[in-house]
Amino acid sequence: MTRDLSSQESGTIKVKIKVDQNDEYDKLFLETKIIEQMNAHSAYRNKNYRVVNVLSQNSVKSIPLQIVDTFMGMVIFLLEQNYLESSNTAKIKSDLIYRFLIEGNNLMKFQQQIKLYKWTGHEELTFVNISDYVSPFMAYKAAYDSQEIIRIQKIMVENPAMPLKELRLKTGYPNTMKNTLIGYKDQIEGRGRNYSIL
C-alpha cells in the first residue's frame, strides 16, 4: 500500500499499522522492526511517508482485521490452487469464494483492487496479475458445478417432492456441505445460486 504514496504530496504522510495480536510477534520485536524497515524503505525510495506506530490488535475485536484476513485467505487459496483438492473443506471454501465472486460486480472489483507483488531477490518487485489465478479457478468451478448440478437435477427430477435432508443423503453430501447443496438446488430451480443466503 505504501508503494503508491506519492512523493509529490506536501508534508510527510503519517502511517499507522495494525497487526494481528500474537505473542510470537512480541518475542520477535516485530512492531519495532516494521517501523525501522519501512522507514528505511521510505528514505531509500525517497517516499514521503513515515511509520509512526505499529499497534497490536486482537482480530476477534477488529472487523477490519477480520476482513483483511478473510481476503488474504481467499487470495492464498487461489494462488496455491487449493480448490483442486478433493477434500470437503476445499470444496466448501471453493463454493464460498465462488459465490462471493459471482455476486454483483465482485469479480471485477476483486481483480481490480487486489494488488500482488512477488519478490524474486532483485531490487524491484514483480507485479503479479491476480486474474491469472482467478480465471482458472472460475473455469474449474464452472465445470465442476455443471457436473454436480446435472447429477443433483437428475435425482430431483426422479423425486420431485424429496425433502432436503433426503436429497442431501442421496447425493452423498455431508451436513457440513448442506449450504453448497442448497445453492445448487436454488440454481436448478431458477432462483439463483445465492438466493438462500441473501
Side-chain angles (χ1 to χ4, degrees):
M1 291 175 68
T2 56
R3 286 175 64 84
D4 296 327
L5 291 178
S6 171
S7 56
Q8 305 300 315
E9 295 179 34
S10 60
T12 301
I13 300 166
K14 294 180 179 176
V15 176
K16 297 176 184 176
I17 299 173
K18 293 180 182 177
V19 295
D20 197 4
Q21 195 172 38
N22 187 321
D23 292 338
E24 292 297 315
Y25 296 163
D26 294 337
K27 293 175 189 173
L28 298 170
F29 303 103
L30 182 71
E31 294 168 13
T32 305
K33 288 180 181 176
I34 288 174
I35 291 171
E36 290 172 358
Q37 291 293 316
M38 291 197 64
N39 286 338
H41 181 268
S42 175
Y44 179 74
R45 293 280 179 203
N46 199 25
K47 298 285 185 181
N48 65 331
Y49 72 83
R50 181 161 181 75
V51 177
V52 291
N53 63 19
V54 177
L55 303 171
S56 181
Q57 193 168 29
N58 189 339
S59 62
V60 173
K61 298 174 185 172
S62 172
I63 291 174
L65 276 178
Q66 290 176 28
I67 291 169
V68 168
D69 190 44
T70 300
F71 277 102
M72 285 177 61
M74 289 170 62
V75 169
I76 290 167
F77 188 83
L78 296 175
L79 290 177
E80 294 179 348
Q81 297 183 319
N82 293 332
Y83 54 87
L84 298 175
E85 296 174 10
S86 59
S87 70
N88 288 341
T89 302
K91 290 176 185 176
I92 291 166
K93 287 181 181 178
S94 295
D95 187 57
L96 289 171
I97 293 169
Y98 181 76
R99 288 167 82 161
F100 166 76
L101 291 175
I102 63 169
E103 191 58 38
N105 59 352
N106 286 352
L107 178 60
M108 182 185 69
K109 285 182 178 178
F110 187 81
Q111 292 180 110
Q112 287 176 342
Q113 295 179 2
I114 303 279
K115 291 189 174 29
L116 299 175
Y117 297 90
K118 180 168 62 173
W119 184 59
T120 56
H122 303 290
E123 188 175 316
E124 289 296 317
L125 297 175
T126 305
F127 177 74
V128 176
N129 190 348
I130 189 70
S131 300
D132 293 343
Y133 296 92
V134 174
S135 295
F137 168 73
M138 296 300 282
Y140 173 84
K141 270 301 283 173
Y144 177 85
D145 288 354
S146 292
Q147 291 177 347
E148 285 299 290
I149 287 170
I150 290 168
R151 186 172 75 87
I152 294 164
Q153 190 170 25
K154 185 177 178 203
I155 294 168
M156 288 173 63
V157 167
E158 293 169 356
N159 308 279
M162 181 180 280
L164 181 63
K165 185 176 181 180
E166 287 182 37
L167 179 63
R168 185 178 63 76
L169 295 171
K170 183 90 172 166
T171 55
Y173 276 64
N175 198 40
T176 54
M177 291 183 65
K178 183 173 81 172
N179 288 333
T180 302
L181 179 62
I182 291 170
Y184 287 142
K185 188 173 182 293
D186 285 341
Q187 191 168 343
I188 290 166
E189 293 172 344
R191 290 190 293 263
R193 186 68 166 269
N194 291 331
Y195 173 79
S196 297
I197 58 175
L198 293 178

